[in-house]
Amino acid sequence: MNAVIERKNPGAGATTKPSAVSPERARQIEQACAQACRAIAPTWPLDRAIAVNPHWSRIGMPLRRVAARMAVLGGIQVFPPRELQRSTWQEGRISAADLALALQQLPAAPARGLSAAECVEALQSRAAIEQLPLLIDTLDQDPERHTRLAWRQAITHQVSQTCAAYFDRHQADWQPERTEGLYAFWRDTLQHDHGIGLLMGLPHLGRAIDALPAQAQDAEQWVMQRLGLSPTVWADYLEAVLLTVNGWASWCAYLAWQAGQEGRSDTHLRELLAIRLAWGALLLECKDDGAAQQAFQAVQQAWQRAPQVMQAAEQALLIDEVWQLALELGYQRTLAQKLLSASGQTPQTTGIEVQAAFCIDVRSEPLRRALEAVWPCIQTLGFAGFFGLPVAYTPLASTARRPQLPGLMAPTMEVQDRILPADADAGATASATELQSQAAHARQSRLGLSAQWQAASRWPGAAFSFVEAAGLGYLGKLGQWLKPGQQTRARDELAGLPARYRPICRPHLVGLDLPAKVALAARVLKAMGLTQDLAPLVLLVGHGSQSSNNAHAAALDCGACCGQTGDVNARSLAQLLNEAPVRAGLWQTQGMAIPESTVFLAALHNTTTDEIEGFELDLLPAAASARWQRLQTMFARACDQVRRERASSLQLDPCAPPAELLRQLRQRANDGAQTRPEWGLAGNAAFLIAPRHKSRGVVLNGRSFLHDYEASQDPDGSILELLMTAPMLVTHWINWQYHASTCDPQRLGSGNKLLHNVVGGSLGVFEGNGGDLRIGLTHQSVHDGQRAMHEPLRLTVVIDAPQAAIDTIIAKHAVLQQLLVNDWLHLWRFEEAGFARYRQGAWCPLPWGAQA
């Protein structure tokens, strides 16, 4: 439908009618809007928080070009700030040799004649980059603008508050009308908001609302037609518009991502774009013709130069790209030397009593190393923390269904809780069913009472009386924060379940017949490299964090489990692999023999306190139970070693007695005022896809993801292909979220967690009471108050596999080609005398070889 919108200027009293939009022009606007929306990466909700590269939708462009676009369109910093690089240079973290090598490896640097002295001098100032204006910026030029809110700030606040109300499903009891969509809800909200005009210095704003198009598409067409910009810059302009509300745009992109996985479409991001554009139409209605004409001219003149401005920014940021690479080369040199010191080791194959498969998470590396050091009879493995189970989990007596797999994937299997006593057998089915029913009823009753009690505090008329009546009830929780105790990690999935049922409430895979179970078990065991030489006890060790009063707690749990702890997956898989019919099926159909004496056991690594918790211990046979008990001494020694490694970074005494150090870490985990319960994945910098002997004994300082891989057991390269297209992308997302949150904590990080207010129960946070929805990591997650705790390095992936196998996989997957050709990560492979790196489709030796 063509948009014909009458415009009345309150200031001038004039009335104009824009010409109708032609079908061809409407098609061009549609394409530009769709392209701008595709540039926004999704962000996951707080309760399912996973790390995301905020530039994921832009990886089809070279990194420096993206950095230039973000600076020009949104004032966003992509490369590390120059003041940070200046510190690393002055401290010697970047050497002169690193800088010289970076200048040599970047083809654009010698082509421009860039020198080391020029790069060093540039550290004294910021890159001179022009940011292109939007219509609201050029309209906001009256002499009184210093006495009121800037229009960009006010509009962002108003749009953000509207989105918070619209998308909230869990926090407010009074829910808005959403049937007409986000744009219609915003338009209706604005018609009843009599304060925004006063804040913006526009007392006649209410009159202008009548000129608003009723349909989102009409609003897009009206503004783009009026702007008079060249169609060649439309998509860029619209992307800049979305970047002013990047947090909510990212949330809408998440809704579209989820809809796409379910075969649906979602229009919220387009409606958000229409809202933000429609604000321009509103402001035009409040300006006289002369001011509006000046604003149009300013925008048009600026955007006529957009290609030149982009090119100039890209040129200016070449120095920043050089320093980015120099920082990485300093780390890579040390990494190469460490790995070369271990590459000659002979793999251990005999005397193994326990095999322990850990998540590839960087926090597992110190614990694996410590366990191997204290007990040579243990073999540790690295595998993605969801353990190959693409599942969604539904707790007992609940309708909630949460994904337990990487955000790149959609669940295809279900896990549900079952009540299973240790003495249950084939003849106790009726008893188990009755217990299941009793437990479900008891939990539903408790949760129902809790919901009624909490609801009483949210009704406006009852709020103050509720606080008076229940105030004493909150003293217990407040007391725990004021004097933190030694409580163990809480299991939220068991909330409301009576204590007598908790030890026997166990997650199980459901809905799979025996052939499907056998196929799943075979696939996972092959991917883990556990098809032969199985130990008597095989541990599947997930991980989870422990913190109190922490809106971003899920960001410290397992990214491979969609921001959840890994115990559900580990327990479900252990139960599956312990089933006698599954083992028989593996032998009959796959020729895979699991010894009768081998027992699989799930465990969880608490990454805040570095303790290991076992599950289903009451189901263990006597021999396995005895072996688990003997393991406790090894766990105690290894975990204490890891705690001492971490102590200094948490400002604790690494020489404290073991019990005291553990007490302090448990206290931090239960402290409601603790802003840094642990450092999470800060410092992550490398991903090794290789046999353990390639890194065994090497101190990688908790900075490397480790995934075991044996090329000799993967003749067709299928396992390597899975690793390069799933875990490698997940680790890239993690790496870039930390990178972005460090380089631009204001726009790509979530700011100061002391000021956070949770939005919509789990949508995200505001910093303070408004502004845009904040995405990314908190300042406290990457900074200790004195210095950055994360070095913003691009991920270095090191693979031990034949070159031909790696090349074949890269050629099959466009996403890998984009990441590599456009310099979003580094790729190495092991060679006999050192390493080779992948660069622009070719392999070349690294300068750090065995002879170095």
Side-chain angles (χ1 to χ4, degrees), residues 34 177 184 232 326 608 617-618 620 647 677 689 797:
E177 173 60 49
T232 60
T608 306
L617 300 179
D618 56 332
L620 288 177
I689 302 175
V797 181

Side-chain angles (χ1 to χ4, degrees), residues 524-547:
V524 172
L525 290 173
K526 287 177 182 177
M528 295 177 69
L530 288 176
T531 58
Q532 55 188 2
D533 300 324
L534 288 166
L537 182 62
V538 181
L539 302 180
L540 305 175
V541 190
H543 66 92
S545 183
Q546 182 181 353
S547 58

Side-chain angles (χ1 to χ4, degrees), residues 340 829-836 848-850:
L340 287 172
R829 63 177 176 83
F830 282 93
E831 287 193 325
E832 186 174 347
F835 304 93
W848 315 294

Side-chain angles (χ1 to χ4, degrees), residues 242 359 542 773 790:
L242 283 173
C359 180
L773 189 73
H790 178 73

Side-chain angles (χ1 to χ4, degrees), residues 304-593:
Q304 283 173 359
R305 300 172 40 252
Q308 292 80 11
V309 173
M310 294 280 193
Q311 187 175 15
E314 198 169 343
Q315 287 292 320
L317 288 171
L318 176 59
I319 289 175
D320 298 81
E321 187 177 24
V322 169
W323 282 111
Q324 171 79 81
L325 181 57
L327 184 67
E328 291 156 352
L329 288 169
Y331 167 76
Q332 290 174 339
R333 174 172 24 87
T334 302
L335 175 66
Q337 292 167 353
K338 287 183 175 182
L339 293 178
L340 287 172
S341 70
S343 60
Q345 293 188 11
T346 302
Q348 182 176 358
T349 57
T350 58
I352 300 298
E353 294 185 33
V354 174
Q355 292 164 320
F358 286 83
C359 180
I360 64 175
D361 189 284
V362 297
R363 292 166 290 183
S364 298
E365 182 269 325
L367 183 53
R368 292 180 61 184
R369 172 167 37 88
L371 281 169
E372 292 164 347
V374 302
W375 193 37
C377 295
I378 190 170
Q379 176 189 3
T380 72
L381 307 157
F383 192 67
F386 77 116
F387 293 102
L389 301 187
V391 300
Y393 167 58
T394 300
L396 179 69
S398 169
T399 58
R401 181 177 179 269
R402 75 186 192 203
Q404 293 273 156
L405 76 173
L408 287 163
M409 304 166 62
T412 58
M413 301 177 186
E414 302 295 326
V415 168
Q416 296 177 3
D417 282 336
R418 288 182 179 172
I419 300 298
L420 181 66
D423 58 357
D425 54 36
T429 304
S431 176
T433 302
E434 184 177 353
L435 276 174
Q436 180 95 1
S437 177
Q438 293 172 353
H441 178 73
R443 185 180 200 188
Q444 288 171 339
S445 298
R446 288 192 175 192
L447 292 178
L449 290 172
S450 176
Q452 292 177 17
W453 178 252
Q454 292 174 1
S457 70
R458 296 200 295 266
W459 287 99
F464 294 104
S465 60
F466 180 87
V467 171
E468 292 178 1
L472 292 176
Y474 284 99
L475 289 179
K477 180 175 290 188
L478 182 60
Q480 292 174 10
W481 291 356
L482 293 174
K483 189 176 181 180
Q486 301 290 298
Q487 293 92 339
T488 58
R489 183 185 61 87
R491 293 178 58 191
D492 294 336
E493 69 273 15
L494 297 180
L497 188 65
R500 64 184 180 277
Y501 296 115
R502 292 188 171 207
I504 56 176
C505 183
R506 315 178 200 269
H508 283 254
L509 278 162
V510 297
L512 298 181
D513 58 18
L514 182 58
K517 288 183 176 182
V518 171
L520 175 61
R523 185 166 66 248
V524 172
L525 290 173
K526 287 177 182 177
M528 295 177 69
L530 288 176
T531 58
Q532 55 188 2
D533 300 324
L534 288 166
L537 182 62
V538 181
L539 302 180
L540 305 175
V541 190
H543 66 92
S545 183
Q546 182 181 353
S547 58
S548 179
N549 188 33
N550 183 5
H552 287 85
L556 297 174
D557 286 331
C558 184
C561 297
C562 213
Q564 312 301 326
T565 57
D567 54 322
V568 167
N569 298 65
R571 295 171 72 184
S572 301
L573 180 60
Q575 184 267 340
L576 175 73
L577 295 175
N578 284 331
E579 289 184 16
V582 171
R583 294 188 177 197
L586 285 171
W587 171 247
Q588 294 166 3
T589 64
Q590 306 287 331
M592 295 170 58

Side-chain angles (χ1 to χ4, degrees), residues 697-815:
V698 176
V699 179
L700 295 172
N701 303 115
R703 303 190 68 182
S704 296
F705 302 94
L706 301 177
H707 199 302
D708 280 61
Y709 171 72
E710 187 65 64
S712 62
Q713 298 181 20
D714 183 30
D716 61 355
S718 58
I719 295 176
L720 181 61
E721 184 172 7
L722 285 173
L723 298 183
M724 291 180 66
T725 55
M728 192 168 106
L729 300 188
V730 171
T731 55
H732 161 78
W733 275 21
I734 294 169
N735 173 260
W736 263 98
Q737 186 185 60
Y738 274 84
H739 188 290
S741 297
T742 302
C743 292
D744 198 336
Q746 292 305 313
R747 297 171 184 84
L748 299 178
S750 58
N752 185 350
K753 70 192 307 181
L754 297 177
L755 305 177
H756 282 172
N757 283 303
V758 174
V759 181
S762 62
L763 300 183
V765 296
F766 286 155
E767 189 175 21
N769 70 338
D772 194 13
L773 189 73
R774 301 304 298 266
I775 63 172
L777 299 163
T778 67
H779 178 70
Q780 286 86 352
S781 292
V782 295
H783 202 281
D784 70 354
Q786 301 294 323
R787 63 189 180 92
M789 293 299 291
H790 178 73
E791 271 194 322
L793 312 178
R794 287 169 292 182
L795 191 69
T796 299
V797 181
V798 190
I799 300 177
D800 186 29
Q803 176 182 325
I806 299 174
D807 287 342
T808 298
I809 294 167
I810 293 173
K812 286 176 61 178
H813 296 278
V815 65

